[in-house]
Amino acid sequence: MTDDNEQENLPKPPPLPGQIYIRPGIDDRPDLDKALTPEDKSAIARLAVHIEREQPSDSAERAETQAVRMSDAGSPAVATAVPPTPIADASSAFLDMRDPMVAADGTKPDKAQIKRLNAGFTLAAVLRTLPWAMLNMVALPAIIDRLFGNPLHAGHVTQMSVEAARVAGAAPAPWLALVVIVGAIVGLVANVVVGVMSDHTRTPHGRRTPWIIAGGLLSALFTLPLGALGNVGAILFFWILLQITYAMLAAPLAAAFGERYPDKFREHAMRWRGIGLMLGQLLGVALGAGGLVLGGELPFAATAVVFVLAAVVPVLVWPKEPSSEWIANVKYSTEPAFAQMKLPSGDDNASFRRAYVARIFMMAGVGVMTVFQWLIVRHYVLAEWYLDARSAAQSSPQIWATCIAMLMIAVGAAVGAACAAGCAGRFGEWCEVKNVPSRVVVIAACVVYAAAIVLPVALALFLSTPVIDAGLFVYGIVSGFAFGLYDVFNQDVVAATIPDPRDNARYLNAFNVASVIGTVVAGCLGVVAVLSLGYIALLVAAIVVVLVGAALTPKD
């Protein structure tokens, strides 16, 4: 008995390797109640708290959305070309550990869906720009011109001198400027309000799709009466309604572009969108001019159909937008969005304010040439030709001469913008190698644009329409190329004036307002110039303000 107890008290040798199997994660798992400290236990308890899904950022707070709006207000070349210094986006997935293949709305589109997004946004750019270019460049000035005794088709007119014809042709300018100025201001406000409301829209069909469809359909509805209106007051009323409904179409499209594209594919998509903008502007002028030449009236019915297509086609082509019902139903206000549009103050923003003012002057010069382009061509460049044709036929000739001239300018501008977009990349590399600042290119582009304005003045001395049409085509190429280079390299200048790249969205939001202010200044300046000394003063004023914009361009 004693021997057995002694044998039990002897030390036992350790187990041989593999003799006892310990299951990983099961047998060796510690007792958490004993292993964890109270601080660790409280940290783990916080993980069990339900966290609401993060509210998506507003469209005004995203730099890529403001860059899209910048390309809408300027030359399509800025969307098609690769600028020397792209606008930095602090929320980009390339700056953190997020997947750059995932879009801002949380979706991860595959290869086929990316192609559908490319096709949808390109078609959207064409279809929404086409009717808007037709209305602004041809329809609106032609309708107001008709109200002051300048018919769109044949009709009896009295004989007059060239100067008397030009003075009579200046009568529609103040009313055209009034409609454009009021429309620009209403459009600016409508874009802000629609942007905020669409940001907080909660539907099974997403935030943007309902606004896009409603905006396109209502724009088509308000376009149809324009051709039958007989006074400026009615035209102004429907033009205000069109500004609101077009904002319902354009603002959600710009926001959707930034939300639905992953960072990996956005640059490629911007190029295709720029091509769509070019085609839309060209086809819009062609639609208006073709309707006048072939049918004697503006094709408002066809324009309304294009608005409907702009609302329906993109929604059908791109992948269905995810539901937005999960967005928190919170009270919102438009005040923060309007506050972001204010010009920043402080000594650190002196360069940005100078770039802002320079943009206003440049867009004022460009606005003078685009807002009054129909009147300049018909009542200044072609004034003597029309009088000779009236003398021969004793009646007002068809409007085909003005339509062809407008089409030549549009084709030339598209060619010039395409050339600017194509050579901007290589030109930027050359400037970098030669250490040429972007400011020099911007100033040179302004000077070239100002020089191009001299062409319509010289063309008024010719009577041969082939010479005039060829000259206006050259004017379109030179001005389109100069404005395209200006927009591309001015983006580099603006980016250098922003003190903190994390505030790019706020600064770009404010900078986009400069284009609207430039349009308002162009309308006011045009009225004063035309009523004082005629269209020659209008062209001189455009040259002066463009050169002032060049002189105010800050260093980058």
Side-chain angles (χ1 to χ4, degrees), residues 114-124 261 313-314 317-318:
I114 289 295
K115 291 182 179 180
R116 291 175 60 186
L117 285 172
N118 288 338
F121 280 105
T122 302
L123 289 173
Y261 265 111
V313 170
V317 172
W318 66 37

mmCIF file of all heavy atoms in Angstrom, residues 114-124 261 313-314 317-318:
data_model
loop_
_atom_site.group_PDB
_atom_site.id
_atom_site.type_symbol
_atom_site.label_atom_id
_atom_site.label_comp_id
_atom_site.label_asym_id
_atom_site.label_seq_id
_atom_site.Cartn_x
_atom_site.Cartn_y
_atom_site.Cartn_z
ATOM 1 N N ILE A 114 -20.283 49.330 -67.016
ATOM 2 C CA ILE A 114 -19.478 50.521 -67.313
ATOM 3 C C ILE A 114 -19.726 50.984 -68.746
ATOM 4 O O ILE A 114 -19.856 52.193 -69.016
ATOM 5 C CB ILE A 114 -17.985 50.228 -67.083
ATOM 6 C CG1 ILE A 114 -17.689 50.104 -65.579
ATOM 7 C CG2 ILE A 114 -17.112 51.317 -67.684
ATOM 8 C CD1 ILE A 114 -17.906 51.381 -64.804
ATOM 9 N N LYS A 115 -19.807 50.035 -69.666
ATOM 10 C CA LYS A 115 -20.104 50.404 -71.060
ATOM 11 C C LYS A 115 -21.483 51.050 -71.166
ATOM 12 O O LYS A 115 -21.673 52.006 -71.917
ATOM 13 C CB LYS A 115 -20.013 49.169 -71.941
ATOM 14 C CG LYS A 115 -18.600 48.627 -72.120
ATOM 15 C CD LYS A 115 -18.591 47.425 -73.049
ATOM 16 C CE LYS A 115 -17.162 46.904 -73.247
ATOM 17 N NZ LYS A 115 -17.116 45.726 -74.150
ATOM 18 N N ARG A 116 -22.439 50.521 -70.424
ATOM 19 C CA ARG A 116 -23.778 51.110 -70.445
ATOM 20 C C ARG A 116 -23.773 52.509 -69.831
ATOM 21 O O ARG A 116 -24.465 53.416 -70.323
ATOM 22 C CB ARG A 116 -24.748 50.199 -69.698
ATOM 23 C CG ARG A 116 -25.032 48.879 -70.408
ATOM 24 C CD ARG A 116 -25.909 47.982 -69.564
ATOM 25 N NE ARG A 116 -27.190 48.600 -69.274
ATOM 26 C CZ ARG A 116 -28.112 48.078 -68.461
ATOM 27 N NH1 ARG A 116 -27.853 46.930 -67.833
ATOM 28 N NH2 ARG A 116 -29.256 48.705 -68.256
ATOM 29 N N LEU A 117 -22.981 52.707 -68.773
ATOM 30 C CA LEU A 117 -22.861 54.047 -68.196
ATOM 31 C C LEU A 117 -22.232 55.017 -69.187
ATOM 32 O O LEU A 117 -22.681 56.165 -69.332
ATOM 33 C CB LEU A 117 -22.044 53.991 -66.912
ATOM 34 C CG LEU A 117 -22.729 53.407 -65.673
ATOM 35 C CD1 LEU A 117 -21.728 53.241 -64.534
ATOM 36 C CD2 LEU A 117 -23.891 54.296 -65.223
ATOM 37 N N ASN A 118 -21.169 54.584 -69.878
ATOM 38 C CA ASN A 118 -20.533 55.435 -70.887
ATOM 39 C C ASN A 118 -21.526 55.832 -71.971
ATOM 40 O O ASN A 118 -21.634 57.007 -72.347
ATOM 41 C CB ASN A 118 -19.343 54.716 -71.510
ATOM 42 C CG ASN A 118 -18.162 54.620 -70.567
ATOM 43 O OD1 ASN A 118 -18.039 55.385 -69.626
ATOM 44 N ND2 ASN A 118 -17.292 53.652 -70.807
ATOM 45 N N ALA A 119 -22.252 54.843 -72.478
ATOM 46 C CA ALA A 119 -23.221 55.128 -73.535
ATOM 47 C C ALA A 119 -24.345 56.023 -73.018
ATOM 48 O O ALA A 119 -24.771 56.970 -73.703
ATOM 49 C CB ALA A 119 -23.792 53.815 -74.077
ATOM 50 N N GLY A 120 -24.826 55.758 -71.792
ATOM 51 C CA GLY A 120 -25.926 56.544 -71.253
ATOM 52 C C GLY A 120 -25.568 58.001 -71.040
ATOM 53 O O GLY A 120 -26.321 58.904 -71.439
ATOM 54 N N PHE A 121 -24.412 58.270 -70.430
ATOM 55 C CA PHE A 121 -24.028 59.654 -70.167
ATOM 56 C C PHE A 121 -23.604 60.375 -71.441
ATOM 57 O O PHE A 121 -23.796 61.593 -71.552
ATOM 58 C CB PHE A 121 -22.918 59.701 -69.119
ATOM 59 C CG PHE A 121 -23.421 59.561 -67.715
ATOM 60 C CD1 PHE A 121 -23.267 58.379 -67.015
ATOM 61 C CD2 PHE A 121 -24.081 60.603 -67.092
ATOM 62 C CE1 PHE A 121 -23.731 58.247 -65.716
ATOM 63 C CE2 PHE A 121 -24.548 60.493 -65.792
ATOM 64 C CZ PHE A 121 -24.379 59.302 -65.111
ATOM 65 N N THR A 122 -23.019 59.674 -72.403
ATOM 66 C CA THR A 122 -22.691 60.313 -73.680
ATOM 67 C C THR A 122 -23.954 60.709 -74.427
ATOM 68 O O THR A 122 -24.062 61.829 -74.953
ATOM 69 C CB THR A 122 -21.839 59.367 -74.543
ATOM 70 O OG1 THR A 122 -20.646 59.013 -73.830
ATOM 71 C CG2 THR A 122 -21.447 60.041 -75.840
ATOM 72 N N LEU A 123 -24.924 59.796 -74.485
ATOM 73 C CA LEU A 123 -26.194 60.124 -75.128
ATOM 74 C C LEU A 123 -26.919 61.234 -74.366
ATOM 75 O O LEU A 123 -27.546 62.107 -74.987
ATOM 76 C CB LEU A 123 -27.074 58.878 -75.193
ATOM 77 C CG LEU A 123 -26.627 57.788 -76.174
ATOM 78 C CD1 LEU A 123 -27.486 56.544 -76.015
ATOM 79 C CD2 LEU A 123 -26.689 58.298 -77.607
ATOM 80 N N ALA A 124 -26.823 61.223 -73.053
ATOM 81 C CA ALA A 124 -27.446 62.292 -72.270
ATOM 82 C C ALA A 124 -26.825 63.641 -72.602
ATOM 83 O O ALA A 124 -27.535 64.655 -72.715
ATOM 84 C CB ALA A 124 -27.317 61.990 -70.780
ATOM 85 N N TYR A 261 -20.111 56.782 -61.308
ATOM 86 C CA TYR A 261 -18.867 56.327 -61.924
ATOM 87 C C TYR A 261 -17.814 56.047 -60.845
ATOM 88 O O TYR A 261 -17.532 56.914 -60.014
ATOM 89 C CB TYR A 261 -18.307 57.387 -62.876
ATOM 90 C CG TYR A 261 -18.704 57.177 -64.314
ATOM 91 C CD1 TYR A 261 -19.585 58.044 -64.932
ATOM 92 C CD2 TYR A 261 -18.204 56.113 -65.057
ATOM 93 C CE1 TYR A 261 -19.959 57.863 -66.248
ATOM 94 C CE2 TYR A 261 -18.571 55.926 -66.369
ATOM 95 C CZ TYR A 261 -19.453 56.804 -66.956
ATOM 96 O OH TYR A 261 -19.813 56.612 -68.264
ATOM 97 N N VAL A 313 -33.984 58.168 -72.698
ATOM 98 C CA VAL A 313 -32.910 57.316 -73.224
ATOM 99 C C VAL A 313 -31.826 57.020 -72.186
ATOM 100 O O VAL A 313 -31.461 55.859 -71.986
ATOM 101 C CB VAL A 313 -32.310 57.948 -74.499
ATOM 102 C CG1 VAL A 313 -31.040 57.213 -74.921
ATOM 103 C CG2 VAL A 313 -33.331 57.913 -75.624
ATOM 104 N N PRO A 314 -31.265 58.027 -71.491
ATOM 105 C CA PRO A 314 -30.212 57.687 -70.507
ATOM 106 C C PRO A 314 -30.706 56.734 -69.422
ATOM 107 O O PRO A 314 -29.975 55.825 -69.010
ATOM 108 C CB PRO A 314 -29.830 59.046 -69.921
ATOM 109 C CG PRO A 314 -30.254 60.043 -70.929
ATOM 110 C CD PRO A 314 -31.487 59.473 -71.558
ATOM 111 N N VAL A 317 -30.759 53.283 -70.864
ATOM 112 C CA VAL A 317 -29.475 52.724 -71.305
ATOM 113 C C VAL A 317 -28.603 52.344 -70.116
ATOM 114 O O VAL A 317 -28.056 51.240 -70.067
ATOM 115 C CB VAL A 317 -28.738 53.722 -72.220
ATOM 116 C CG1 VAL A 317 -27.327 53.245 -72.516
ATOM 117 C CG2 VAL A 317 -29.510 53.902 -73.520
ATOM 118 N N TRP A 318 -28.438 53.242 -69.136
ATOM 119 C CA TRP A 318 -27.532 52.907 -68.039
ATOM 120 C C TRP A 318 -28.211 51.941 -67.063
ATOM 121 O O TRP A 318 -29.436 51.792 -67.054
ATOM 122 C CB TRP A 318 -27.035 54.171 -67.346
ATOM 123 C CG TRP A 318 -28.052 54.998 -66.605
ATOM 124 C CD1 TRP A 318 -29.112 54.546 -65.876
ATOM 125 C CD2 TRP A 318 -28.092 56.417 -66.495
ATOM 126 N NE1 TRP A 318 -29.800 55.581 -65.317
ATOM 127 C CE2 TRP A 318 -29.197 56.741 -65.670
ATOM 128 C CE3 TRP A 318 -27.292 57.445 -66.977
ATOM 129 C CZ2 TRP A 318 -29.518 58.057 -65.350
ATOM 130 C CZ3 TRP A 318 -27.615 58.752 -66.651
ATOM 131 C CH2 TRP A 318 -28.717 59.044 -65.855
#
